Amino acid sequence: MKKKTISYLAAVVATALCMSVTSCLEMREAETIEIPINPPFPPIGGSDEISIISFAPAAAQYGETVTITGTGFSATPSENSVTFNNILTTVVSSTSTEIKVTVPQNKECTGLVRVTVAGETAVSDTPFTYLLTYSSTPTLFAGSSTGESGSNDGQGSAARFNIPLQLASDAQGNIYVADSNNKALRKITPTGMVTTVSGYNSRTRGVLVDADENIYVAEENMTHLWKIPASSGTAVSFGNGLFASAQLAKDVQGNIYVVDSENRLIRKIDVSGNTTNVYELPYTQFLYPYGVALDASGNIYASILEGQQIWKISSGSDTAVLFAGRTSGSSGFSDGQGTDASFYYPYGMTTDAVGNIYVADGANRAVRKITPGGMVSTLFTTGPGIGTILMSGITFDPSGNMYVSTCNDNTILKIEAK
């Protein structure tokens, strides 16, 4: 009887415990437990993620200020690191949304803009363009320092030229010279060594090097150009129907443009050698066209030697408009906007990557610069020699250094880019 009573009590206690545990579990399942969560920390450098929205100007030269707008910058200038094409700039001032920097003196600055704050970096969508500036004092690169003419090959001032006209550069920085009265094509290495590439039957007036390193030469009173293929080095005729060819230029598609001076024509020779007329210059407006240049947009510029003017034919247009120089056609030497400026026998021309036009302003013994908007300025007016410099040809090497031929002094001048 005692054993049965103990067993019964144990069963009752076990049942009660089980019901208690089940009840507790049911209550826990019904409860919602809230755990406090701290808000996230703000991004480093400010309340927003670091980003570059824009920068202006998009192109600038050494010493100018560029303003970068965005988010997440530091208000402490020293905490922002800004580079142009991985070249470090100087931060002048900053807020959380704007940084002002000074462009460093480095020709390699063209490229993407990067802003770094405490290890976080933002990159621009478009590149910054570094604008080259030039020394106002050119140096003698090749030819006689006394203006002596001749045909000698040699190093620098030991070499001789006889009325050098158009210049051209290849990808290695070699300069080619249409050495007119020597009836020759000359080559100058980056170190100044002059050699003769080839000779011709009449005076050479124009030279051009295309993207494939083929060389083109314009010979006076010839009905075609000469093409020297890079693969063979042997000259072959190229194009047809020309007369009194002067300067040459090329577009981004590789077409060659020729000033046909006596016929007052600008002609185009396609990559297959087919020749067409692009524009006929009216007798009532033009005298003696000489130079031709194209910008990256396909606009054509022509210099009128005796008309003291620069004319422009916009891409896709068949109408030329006066771009710079006096409407009267009179000579002069003044900077200014468009027709307020004046020239004196503008010879050769070339363009840069941002659309500026550079003119060898012959009798003014000057190199002139014309912006895409038509503002004319003077880069320099004198050079070494005997003082009778007549600027005739102009080109740039791949590093942006400028070279100018002087047909009276028989020299090639170099103007360092910086």
Side-chain angles (χ1 to χ4, degrees):
M1 181 66 177
K2 188 176 180 179
K3 290 182 179 180
K4 289 183 179 180
T5 301
I6 293 171
S7 298
Y8 175 76
L9 288 172
V12 171
V13 171
T15 300
L17 288 172
C18 181
M19 292 177 63
S20 176
V21 171
T22 302
S23 177
C24 288
L25 291 173
E26 289 174 350
M27 290 175 65
R28 285 288 183 186
E29 290 176 357
E31 291 179 0
T32 301
I33 301 174
E34 295 185 1
I35 300 175
I37 301 175
N38 292 325
F41 292 105
I44 296 172
S47 58
D48 299 310
E49 182 180 355
I50 185 170
S51 67
I52 296 175
I53 297 173
S54 65
F55 60 90
Q61 61 189 29
Y62 161 64
E64 293 185 330
T65 299
V66 174
T67 300
I68 304 165
T69 60
T71 61
F73 304 154
S74 173
T76 302
S78 61
E79 294 180 356
N80 302 286
S81 174
V82 181
T83 62
F84 294 162
N85 195 32
N86 297 319
I87 306 299
L88 189 65
T89 70
T90 299
V91 178
V92 177
S93 63
S94 65
T95 68
S96 61
T97 58
E98 181 182 279
I99 300 176
K100 291 183 181 294
V101 301
T102 301
V103 179
Q105 185 175 343
N106 193 314
K107 292 187 289 186
E108 303 301 319
C109 277
T110 295
L112 296 176
V113 178
R114 288 176 169 81
V115 177
T116 301
V117 182
E120 298 293 326
T121 299
V123 183
S124 64
D125 293 328
T126 58
F128 167 78
T129 299
Y130 181 84
L131 299 180
L132 297 172
T133 55
Y134 293 92
S135 168
S136 60
T137 305
T139 58
L140 179 62
F141 186 58
S144 170
S145 61
T146 61
E148 179 185 352
S149 64
S151 59
N152 297 347
D153 290 340
Q155 180 66 40
S157 60
R160 296 290 181 267
F161 301 92
N162 194 349
I163 308 187
L165 295 178
Q166 189 174 14
L167 305 177
S169 173
D170 65 18
Q172 289 73 47
N174 298 302
I175 305 300
Y176 293 86
V177 184
D179 193 4
S180 179
N181 279 14
N182 279 327
K183 303 176 183 179
L185 174 66
R186 313 291 292 281
K187 174 183 176 180
I188 315 174
T189 68
T191 59
M193 178 57 70
V194 180
T195 56
T196 300
V197 177
S198 52
Y200 299 89
N201 294 322
S202 57
R203 292 184 295 180
T204 48
R205 301 179 70 186
V207 61
L208 177 75
V209 182
D210 68 17
D212 296 322
E213 302 288 282
N214 303 306
I215 303 170
Y216 302 83
V217 178
E219 191 178 358
E220 188 177 53
N221 298 327
M222 291 294 290
T223 59
H224 58 80
L225 302 181
W226 292 104
K227 178 180 179 179
I228 306 174
S231 58
S232 67
T234 301
V236 295
S237 64
F238 186 77
N240 55 73
L242 306 177
F243 183 70
S245 300
Q247 194 175 29
L248 309 177
K250 64 179 183 293
D251 63 20
V252 293
Q253 287 79 36
N255 300 302
I256 308 298
Y257 293 78
V258 186
V259 173
D260 191 345
S261 298
E262 296 298 329
N263 288 320
R264 290 176 166 82
L265 288 170
I266 295 178
R267 302 199 180 209
K268 173 183 172 181
I269 308 175
D270 66 22
V271 293
S272 299
N274 301 307
T275 305
T276 55
N277 294 339
V278 175
Y279 192 78
E280 181 175 358
L281 310 178
Y283 279 86
T284 56
Q285 294 178 340
F286 301 92
L287 293 173
Y288 186 69
Y290 180 84
V292 63
L294 280 85
D295 61 23
S297 299
N299 301 308
I300 303 171
Y301 301 87
S303 64
I304 310 304
L305 193 62
E306 295 176 0
Q308 330 298 343
Q309 297 167 337
I310 309 299
W311 285 73
K312 177 181 179 179
I313 306 168
S314 296
S315 179
S317 172
D318 58 0
T319 302
V321 297
L322 179 59
F323 188 61
R326 293 173 176 169
T327 55
S328 65
S330 61
S331 62
F333 192 8
S334 57
D335 293 338
Q337 179 66 40
T339 55
D340 292 333
S342 56
F343 302 87
Y344 193 3
Y345 288 129
Y347 271 76
M349 298 192 299
T350 191
T351 58
D352 65 19
V354 294
N356 296 305
I357 301 99
Y358 297 82
V359 183
D361 191 7
N364 279 328
R365 305 170 190 173
V367 170
R368 315 290 293 280
K369 174 183 176 181
I370 314 176
T371 68
M375 179 57 71
V376 180
S377 59
T378 300
L379 292 186
F380 70 88
T381 59
T382 59
I386 61 176
T388 60
I389 296 171
L390 189 66
M391 304 294 182
S392 48
I394 184 169
T395 194
F396 296 102
D397 68 17
S399 297
N401 300 306
M402 182 187 300
Y403 299 82
V404 178
S405 59
T406 66
C407 59
N408 277 24
D409 269 6
N410 301 302
T411 59
I412 309 300
L413 307 179
K414 179 177 181 179
I415 304 92
E416 292 279 353
K418 55 184 180 181

